[in-house]
Amino acid sequence: RAMGCWSILIIVLLLSVVGLHSSSLLQENGHVAGSGFKIGAGIYDITGPAAEVNMMGYAMPQQRTKGIHFRTRARAFVIIDANGKRIAYVSGDICMCFQAVKMEVIPRLQKKLGTIYTADNVLISGIHTHAAPAGFSWRVLYDVTSLGFNKRNFDAIVDGIVAAIEQAHHMAESSAGGDRITAAEGEL
């Protein structure tokens, strides 16, 4: 039950942060009231180097990747309201998202799609996995156990996030609109 409440809260916060709520209120049935949205989703691989990279967050230099068990992905969602305001939300299979990643994603997105995506309407988060490669921060503290910055891993994450947002963008743009945002809960 708490998980469903958190999901609803996150959706409402995302919509209100950039003004997409246009006096919409969350109704009891889990629907966001309003005239509808254009919604797009995208997913892209962000796996990075397959072996010999420290895993993010364990702070144990000797704990290094030894191949790929599961690929890591970036999942992006673009939501456009009736006034054309939009947000892009990305959840990545990474421990956390560093400022470095977002600072690189925005200009790469703008090269491809123009200035409709900015630091103000793009949110990137990590699922907090410790089973993905490290070394993708520009801060020494986070890269010390991975023995420094790993450009191959950083580029895989940034490129994958950009590709996922681009997919979601094109899907949302081609949407007829009128989609409703709903929240659901259940057991996993």
Side-chain angles (χ1 to χ4, degrees), residues 53-54 56 61 64 133-154:
V53 178
N54 179 255
M56 183 65 207
R64 304 180 78 70
F136 59 97
S137 173
W138 289 339
R139 308 280 183 194
V140 172
L141 178 64
Y142 296 105
D143 289 342
V144 73
T145 60
S146 59
L147 306 177
F149 181 74
N150 187 308
K151 181 152 176 45
R152 286 179 47 219
N153 191 38
F154 178 81

Side-chain angles (χ1 to χ4, degrees), residues 96-167:
M96 59 204 67
C97 183
F98 295 108
Q99 181 183 21
V101 171
K102 186 169 179 179
M103 287 175 63
E104 190 65 26
V105 164
I106 301 299
R108 289 191 195 185
L109 267 179
Q110 290 179 345
K111 269 186 173 177
K112 293 176 174 251
L113 302 172
T115 59
I116 55 177
Y117 295 104
T118 68
D120 293 333
N121 66 353
V122 174
L123 172 65
I124 307 169
S125 68
I127 64 166
H128 201 95
T129 182
H130 292 281
F136 59 97
S137 173
W138 289 339
R139 308 280 183 194
V140 172
L141 178 64
Y142 296 105
D143 289 342
V144 73
T145 60
S146 59
L147 306 177
F149 181 74
N150 187 308
K151 181 152 176 45
R152 286 179 47 219
N153 191 38
F154 178 81
D155 286 340
I157 291 168
V158 170
D159 291 343
I161 289 171
V162 169
I165 293 172
E166 200 174 3
Q167 287 175 3

Side-chain angles (χ1 to χ4, degrees), residues 1-126:
R1 182 125 184 104
M3 188 67 148
C5 293
W6 280 111
S7 298
I8 291 169
L9 178 62
I10 289 170
I11 290 169
V12 170
L13 286 174
L14 282 171
L15 294 173
S16 64
V17 162
V18 293
L20 291 175
H21 59 329
S22 62
S23 75
S24 300
L25 296 174
L26 191 64
Q27 299 171 349
E28 266 189 51
N29 63 3
H31 295 287
V32 175
S35 60
F37 299 92
K38 290 183 173 188
I39 301 170
I43 186 168
Y44 206 85
D45 190 304
I46 59 170
T47 303
E52 298 305 317
V53 178
N54 179 255
M55 289 185 274
M56 183 65 207
Y58 281 117
M60 297 172 60
Q62 70 277 16
Q63 189 169 28
R64 304 180 78 70
T65 57
K66 294 180 173 123
I68 298 172
H69 184 69
F70 290 108
R71 292 205 160 270
T72 56
R73 310 247 187 242
R75 292 160 184 84
F77 303 91
V78 168
I79 303 168
I80 307 169
D81 75 358
N83 298 320
K85 288 186 179 178
R86 67 186 62 227
I87 60 169
Y89 169 72
V90 180
S91 176
D93 296 338
I94 52 180
C95 188
M96 59 204 67
C97 183
F98 295 108
Q99 181 183 21
V101 171
K102 186 169 179 179
M103 287 175 63
E104 190 65 26
V105 164
I106 301 299
R108 289 191 195 185
L109 267 179
Q110 290 179 345
K111 269 186 173 177
K112 293 176 174 251
L113 302 172
T115 59
I116 55 177
Y117 295 104
T118 68
D120 293 333
N121 66 353
V122 174
L123 172 65
I124 307 169
S125 68

